[in-house]
Amino acid sequence: MANTVVLEVFRYDPETRESRMQNFEVEYQDDWVVLDALNHIKDEIDGSLSHRWSCRMGVCGSCGMVVNGYPKLTCSAFIRDYLPGPIRVEPLANFEVERDLIVDFDMFLEKLQRVTPWLVRDEERPIEDGEHIQTPAQLAQYKQYTLCINCMLCYSACPVVSHEPDFLGPAALALGHRYNLDSRDQGTGLRLDEMLSSDGIWDCTFVGACSDVCPKHVDPAGAIQQAKVSGTMEYFKSFLMPAGSRK
Amino acid sequence: MSTSSRRALGPRWWLMRRSYFLVFVRELTAIFIAAYLVILLIILAKLGGDAGSYEAFRESLTSPGMLVFGVITLAFTLFHSITFISLIPQGMAIWRGEERVHPALIAGPGYVGLVAVVAIVLVAILR
Amino acid sequence: MKGSHEAFWWSLFSAGGVIAAMLIPVLVFVTVVAPGFGWGVFVDAMQYDRIAGLVGHQLVKAILFVSIWLSFFHAFHRIRHLILDMHVSVPGLPLAVLNYALATAGTVSAALVLWRI
């Protein structure tokens, strides 16, 4: 007697703009994850099902979906943890749905770009001068925030992203913070213009759901609160020492 | 595009999960803090007047309704204290070499401070 | 730039949050809960002469004023964001103005009231 579980899968047709839930009874192996079940459905039951995935091991960030109401990487959501089912699979919240379980993440890419997520130098270091030297302690300061895989589970979990569509959001702000903390970077002033704007850190009310759902333990909520502290110090400095404010 | 396919969490997002609901309760504590501050202001206002007016107000504070309000307010304001102090470490990255100072070493002194302030106020009032 | 003064309100919110966390529960207990339960030692402690004497000290007044000021701004900053998070559709700027005006009114009242003691 094979083990079967029912998946209730969100279907969306962009041509008719109609959505529905479709049930699939899936025979599963004990070590299967939800992604295995979705791939089985597409391969053996309904080839029209559309979903994103790639590495199957929680490092690419492609397979983020909402499983039983909670944002998860489906490659890391074990069927055995959801038994006896049914398992409800939906696309990430707060994004436009392209088709079925696929969301349009242009919204995130646009916000990411606004925080200038690369090393900014006043003057590029010439090749002959060798690499930027950084101590382990300096690396430790920002390393946690480099672990983001851009899976966007945090955007799906955040109630502020939900009702303030322009809010830069957890991952973008955490990545901006990552570069501000990098000793090699000289672009803090550039980033703070975006991060301290009204679409930036101040929209955050520290719900903390982003850090709860993050599969890489980046703690974007912590990054944003730290940015509020440093942003506040910058603010008061700009009044007290107008000449010596941020570069 | 006439209708959006974006699925938002909606206005009742705070009912969707226990963690969201606790955040909502945390935010509600502000209402009780503000309400108590008004009562504190009235107590102080009466202190600036004659003893009779103050004592009459003090009497009204001991009604059953006020006691219920007081107990609920105490619960909410204590919830604020505990959540606020426990969240301070997340906003502070303090480094010792390559290791970040453990959150408990930041929240711990916060709770000690809370107990100390309670002790000081009780001593000042009861002495 | 829009919202660039949020840092100011947030600084009051966080300072007030620490103060309210330390001070408000014990004040609620001493002024409302304990007398409400009729615990004699607390009922006696709240007598006019004793409390007026305590609050009459300039240092105590100063501590009370700063505590009430910052606690009001903490509470109202959070109330403002609670209203926004409840998706109540109120325009942002009028809400902020009314919100911090109320906090200011509370602060001014505290100053006036303490002055008279």
Side-chain angles (χ1 to χ4, degrees):
Chain A
M1 172 82 186
N3 290 326
T4 65
V5 68
V6 171
L7 263 68
E8 294 173 357
V9 181
F10 182 89
R11 304 298 305 269
Y12 176 75
D13 181 339
E15 266 121 65
T16 64
R17 306 194 68 83
E18 275 169 20
S19 67
R20 63 190 171 99
M21 298 302 291
Q22 185 177 0
N23 286 14
F24 299 95
E25 186 155 352
V26 174
E27 213 175 289
Y28 68 92
Q29 310 280 352
D30 289 338
D31 60 352
W32 271 26
V33 289
V34 172
L35 177 60
D36 290 324
L38 291 173
N39 283 339
H40 174 86
I41 291 170
K42 187 173 178 68
D43 290 343
E44 308 293 339
I45 308 178
D46 183 344
S48 72
L49 176 64
S50 301
H51 62 288
R52 281 203 185 102
W53 63 283
S54 183
C55 74
R56 303 143 41 246
M57 58 184 211
V59 296
C60 73
S62 304
C63 69
M65 299 174 212
V66 176
V67 180
N68 281 3
Y70 195 84
K72 293 283 288 182
L73 296 179
T74 48
C75 68
S76 315
F78 288 88
I79 300 270
R80 59 178 179 258
D81 292 334
Y82 295 91
L83 294 176
I87 306 176
R88 193 176 173 91
V89 186
E90 296 166 288
L92 293 177
N94 302 331
F95 291 91
E96 297 278 345
V97 182
E98 285 199 9
R99 178 191 292 278
D100 295 344
L101 301 167
I102 296 178
V103 297
D104 177 359
F105 54 78
D106 281 351
M107 172 266 268
F108 169 65
L109 292 180
E110 186 267 332
K111 291 174 180 180
L112 182 60
Q113 194 163 356
R114 282 165 58 189
V115 301
T116 317
W118 52 81
L119 285 179
V120 172
R121 301 283 301 177
D122 297 332
E123 269 184 38
E124 285 303 327
R125 192 182 172 87
I127 299 282
E128 324 62 270
D129 285 358
E131 63 276 13
H132 295 288
I133 301 296
Q134 191 170 65
T135 66
Q138 285 172 319
L139 168 63
Q141 300 255 317
Y142 67 91
K143 183 169 178 190
Q144 180 179 358
Y145 308 117
T146 65
L147 302 180
C148 176
I149 59 175
N150 294 2
C151 67
M152 299 171 291
L153 297 188
C154 53
Y155 284 75
S156 184
C158 177
V160 181
V161 170
S162 194
H163 73 81
E164 292 293 329
D166 292 335
F167 174 45
L168 280 177
L173 290 170
L175 283 161
H177 192 58
R178 169 253 179 277
Y179 283 97
N180 289 344
L181 292 178
D182 193 326
S183 58
R184 301 167 293 177
D185 175 79
Q186 293 168 333
T188 298
L190 193 63
R191 266 176 228 107
L192 287 183
D193 279 343
E194 280 291 342
M195 291 175 67
L196 302 183
S197 76
S198 62
D199 294 329
I201 57 178
W202 304 115
D203 269 353
C204 168
T205 54
F206 205 179
V207 171
C210 54
S211 294
D212 285 345
V213 303
C214 177
K216 310 311 281 184
H217 311 294
V218 171
D219 188 18
I224 294 174
Q225 302 323 301
Q226 291 164 36
K228 286 181 186 175
V229 174
S230 53
T232 299
M233 295 200 295
E234 283 298 325
Y235 177 85
F236 284 110
K237 260 197 244 173
S238 73
F239 281 109
L240 302 173
M241 305 185 312
S245 42
R246 61 172 135 102
K247 42 181 287 182
Chain B
M1 297 250 184
S2 47
T3 48
S4 163
S5 59
R6 180 181 190 263
R7 289 134 39 83
L9 297 184
R12 269 174 289 282
W13 62 270
W14 47 276
L15 285 167
M16 286 170 68
R17 307 200 69 81
R18 184 170 170 266
S19 57
Y20 286 153
F21 184 72
L22 289 176
V23 166
F24 179 70
V25 171
R26 186 191 85 195
E27 303 294 285
L28 278 184
T29 65
I31 296 178
F32 288 90
I33 290 175
Y36 175 72
L37 287 173
V38 171
I39 291 175
L40 183 62
L41 281 182
I42 299 174
I43 292 174
L44 294 172
K46 298 287 180 182
L47 270 180
D50 63 276
S53 167
Y54 171 84
E55 293 297 339
F57 182 67
R58 199 155 73 87
E59 189 60 33
S60 73
L61 284 182
T62 61
S63 70
M66 276 310 294
L67 178 57
V68 169
F69 169 78
V71 170
I72 294 173
T73 299
L74 181 60
F76 271 97
T77 55
L78 264 177
F79 190 72
H80 161 72
S81 303
I82 293 168
T83 53
F84 198 85
I85 292 171
S86 74
L87 290 174
I88 290 175
Q90 220 171 335
M92 293 172 70
I94 304 179
W95 293 90
R96 247 188 280 160
E98 295 170 49
E99 296 288 322
R100 198 165 146 186
V101 166
H102 195 279
L105 290 177
I106 300 171
Y111 290 121
V112 169
L114 169 60
V115 171
V117 168
V118 168
I120 290 169
V121 170
L122 288 178
V123 165
I125 300 254
L126 295 176
R127 209 154 48 95
Chain C
M1 97 189 97
K2 246 173 53 168
S4 63
H5 295 295
E6 279 297 328
F8 176 72
W9 305 117
W10 187 84
S11 67
L12 294 179
F13 160 78
S14 47
V18 175
I19 289 178
M22 305 284 172
L23 201 51
I24 300 288
V26 66
L27 289 182
V28 174
F29 177 76
V30 162
T31 57
V32 182
V33 175
F37 278 119
W39 293 333
V41 62
F42 288 100
V43 175
D44 295 340
M46 288 299 293
Q47 277 170 25
Y48 181 83
D49 295 321
R50 290 186 59 166
I51 293 295
L54 177 66
V55 178
H57 286 113
Q58 295 294 67
L59 179 62
V60 174
K61 279 194 201 182
I63 291 172
L64 274 174
F65 172 72
V66 170
S67 302
I68 294 174
W69 158 46
L70 289 172
S71 296
F72 261 127
F73 276 88
H74 164 81
F76 276 101
H77 182 85
R78 193 162 244 175
I79 286 169
R80 173 180 160 225
H81 284 285
L82 175 63
I83 291 171
L84 292 172
D85 276 356
M86 299 288 288
H87 298 200
V88 178
S89 55
V90 191
L93 188 58
L95 173 65
V97 168
L98 175 62
N99 187 69
Y100 297 117
L102 286 173
T104 305
T107 305
V108 169
S109 306
L112 291 173
V113 139
L114 284 165
W115 185 260
R116 284 176 65 232
I117 297 176

